[in-house]
Amino acid sequence: MSQIVKVNYYDAFHCIGSKCPFTCCQEWAISVDEDTLEKWKGVTLETIGIKDEKRATSTLCDCVEKEESEYVIALKKDKTCPFLNKDKLCSVVLGVGEDYLSKTCTTYPRHVHKVGDQEEYSLDFGCPAVIDLIYLEEKGVYFISEGAKAHQPSVLEEVRKMILECIQDETYTLTESILMAYCCLLELIEEEGLSIEVVEAYESKEYLEALVTEMRTMKVEAIDSFWERNEQFLDRIQLYQKDETYTKDIEAYSVLAERLEEYYSDTWLLEKNEAFEMQYQGFEKLLRNYLAAEIWANVLRDHMTLDHMVMVYQWVILEYCAIKQLTFLKWVSEEQRMVDYNMVRDAIMMIARMIAYDQDEIEKCLAYSFEEPILDWGTLALIVGSGKI
């Protein structure tokens, strides 16, 4: 039996149903497995309380369409699930019970990934209720093992541990933590013989102190970072626009991002960005928790190489920067309003719903924005910027 490791708030999750501000029954392609399709053949729409005279004898299967190699629920014109009722509850559950839900609907936002002899349980940040959980984690994100089986960590697991220790070390600013971890990763790629002992050398306090001291002498212009972050945000939007996997809210903010230079001067943007950064720092704990959970869940999977880990780490950090830029755009568009939790939570949720962690997709997206799939340290540092967060 595999060892099970869960993110510490995993078992605390429960769906908030009709109270959810952003239902997962909207805009996403919800896959339907073969077993569920078989069950749906004998269930009419009327059985689950959907009255449609034009489709009086239609079954649930008539609300499904083929998309490439899988079946998905065909969304309505407003991009909501046809089974979502006016109270934002599932008609399938109300009519015939949870046993008739597809596996996707039953498990989301839960994910299980295999890493060596471990099964790792995490939660997806596309669900706002998950973000609420990490917002409350004052002690930070950690991981709970279930089962008595002894586990010998692999070299790449040690690399992931090194990254997480950097991200969660509050003696450094979050920006420093992000860039220190990336510097270590780039140097590890150059190591000829990678071992746990080699990785541990990069975890030493002496090494990290020397590294951060050097980093503090290298500043980037705030306005250059701002425009680079804005460009990367727009790249993410453009890549996913064709799949219509972003909300109308995202579309509105992408238009604002495209026209920032037309609306505002660099001087005005710098002043606004400085004021924004001061308020945004109040969410440092939330963002450290988010990064730790996202890194743990995604940078290591079976059959990954160190190069793959570095690319996924880059992707997580670009996601983090997109969240920051979206929050800034929301804040600017709502004048005289403080940066509040709902604003940050919504930005995390929206970006998480756009971002995929498929290896081929990541390489394609990095190739779209950059010449090489693994960025040099200076390029990532420019995007992240010199602020504290």
Side-chain angles (χ1 to χ4, degrees):
M1 182 178 176
S2 297
Q3 176 89 338
I4 292 174
V5 184
K6 296 178 179 179
V7 69
N8 59 299
Y9 51 86
Y10 184 88
D11 290 331
F13 171 78
H14 68 275
C15 177
I16 58 177
S18 61
K19 296 178 182 178
C20 184
F22 291 96
T23 175
C24 56
C25 306
Q26 181 174 333
E27 296 192 59
W28 278 345
I30 303 166
S31 62
V32 184
D33 54 279
E34 295 286 348
D35 290 342
T36 301
L37 279 174
E38 193 63 33
K39 289 181 183 179
W40 284 6
K41 288 179 180 178
V43 182
T44 65
L45 294 179
E46 188 174 4
T47 302
I48 63 171
I50 298 177
K51 296 182 179 180
D52 188 340
E53 294 180 1
K54 294 180 179 179
R55 299 190 297 172
T57 60
S58 294
T59 68
L60 303 192
C61 288
D62 292 313
C63 296
V64 173
E65 61 187 5
K66 190 74 177 287
E67 188 175 276
E68 296 181 355
S69 61
E70 64 177 353
Y71 290 96
V72 299
I73 296 174
L75 301 181
K76 297 193 296 184
K77 289 183 178 179
D78 63 358
K79 297 186 181 179
T80 59
C81 175
F83 307 138
L84 190 68
N85 70 16
K86 60 182 176 61
D87 298 317
K88 294 199 297 185
L89 295 173
C90 179
S91 297
V92 174
V93 174
L94 295 174
V96 289
E98 291 187 7
D99 289 345
Y100 281 77
L101 287 176
S102 70
K103 289 180 181 178
T104 299
C105 294
T106 302
T107 58
Y108 184 81
R110 304 168 187 87
H111 294 300
V112 180
H113 298 296
K114 188 81 172 172
V115 176
D117 61 356
Q118 293 189 155
E119 287 184 353
E120 299 187 342
Y121 289 55
S122 59
L123 297 169
D124 193 294
F125 289 118
C127 172
V130 174
I131 303 167
D132 290 342
L133 289 174
I134 65 164
Y135 183 53
L136 299 174
E137 286 295 339
E138 288 298 322
K139 293 182 179 179
V141 169
Y142 55 95
F143 312 99
I144 300 170
S145 297
E146 295 184 357
K149 185 177 179 180
H151 176 71
Q152 182 63 40
S154 67
V155 174
L156 294 185
E157 284 179 79
E158 189 67 27
V159 172
R160 181 175 62 175
K161 173 174 167 285
M162 178 271 295
I163 299 170
L164 288 170
E165 286 178 353
C166 276
I167 294 298
Q168 294 181 299
D169 191 340
E170 296 183 18
T171 61
Y172 305 108
T173 69
L174 185 48
T175 295
E176 289 171 345
S177 294
I178 289 168
L179 296 176
M180 286 165 62
Y182 192 59
C183 185
C184 292
L185 286 170
L186 293 180
E187 293 196 17
L188 284 169
I189 287 177
E190 300 301 318
E191 293 281 353
E192 291 186 4
L194 198 60
S195 66
I196 288 179
E197 291 73 25
V198 168
V199 178
E200 286 175 339
Y202 287 88
E203 298 172 330
S204 72
K205 196 67 176 177
E206 294 77 13
Y207 174 79
L208 294 176
E209 280 296 318
L211 180 58
V212 79
T213 299
E214 183 178 354
M215 278 173 43
R216 286 168 181 165
T217 67
M218 297 181 284
K219 300 292 183 183
V220 295
E221 292 295 330
I223 194 63
D224 293 339
S225 286
F226 177 87
W227 286 121
E228 184 64 30
R229 197 159 51 245
N230 197 63
E231 184 179 338
Q232 292 306 314
F233 171 76
L234 288 170
D235 279 356
R236 302 284 82 71
I237 300 297
Q238 189 169 347
L239 281 164
Y240 288 91
Q241 183 175 0
K242 64 181 186 301
D243 298 322
E244 299 182 338
T245 54
Y246 64 100
T247 66
K248 290 180 180 178
D249 288 334
I250 283 281
E251 186 173 6
Y253 294 120
S254 72
V255 171
L256 176 58
E258 287 174 345
R259 303 186 70 177
L260 276 176
E261 197 167 6
E262 176 185 339
Y263 290 153
Y264 308 113
S265 67
D266 282 359
T267 301
W268 187 91
L269 284 169
L270 277 173
E271 290 176 356
K272 279 292 184 182
N273 190 57
E274 186 176 350
F276 168 77
E277 292 254 0
M278 289 294 292
Q279 295 182 37
Y280 198 55
Q281 285 174 32
F283 299 95
E284 179 184 352
K285 190 64 181 179
L286 167 64
L287 293 165
R288 280 193 193 267
N289 286 346
Y290 149 77
L291 277 174
E294 198 77 331
I295 287 165
W296 182 76
N298 294 294
V299 301
L300 182 57
R301 307 276 176 83
D302 270 357
H303 312 300
M304 269 191 172
T305 65
L306 181 57
D307 281 10
H308 288 142
M309 290 183 71
V310 174
M311 281 187 277
V312 176
Y313 178 78
Q314 290 173 167
W315 196 238
V316 172
I317 301 309
L318 291 173
E319 181 183 1
Y320 164 81
C321 292
I323 289 165
K324 180 177 180 179
Q325 193 68 7
L326 177 55
T327 308
F328 174 83
L329 293 166
K330 288 167 72 68
W331 177 72
V332 165
S333 66
E334 300 176 26
E335 295 181 5
Q336 308 303 318
R337 183 181 172 188
M338 295 289 288
V339 178
D340 62 22
Y341 169 63
N342 288 334
M343 195 180 291
V344 179
R345 180 189 67 180
D346 293 353
I348 294 173
M349 183 276 301
M350 289 177 185
I351 296 299
R353 290 191 176 192
M354 290 168 50
I355 299 296
Y357 278 96
D358 176 81
Q359 276 296 310
D360 291 338
E361 188 75 8
I362 288 175
E363 290 195 41
K364 180 185 75 175
C365 292
L366 289 171
Y368 177 85
S369 297
F370 308 100
E371 291 183 4
E372 298 292 337
I374 294 181
L375 311 181
D376 60 73
W377 185 88
T379 299
L380 194 65
L382 176 62
I383 301 167
V384 174
S386 296
K388 292 183 177 180
I389 190 170

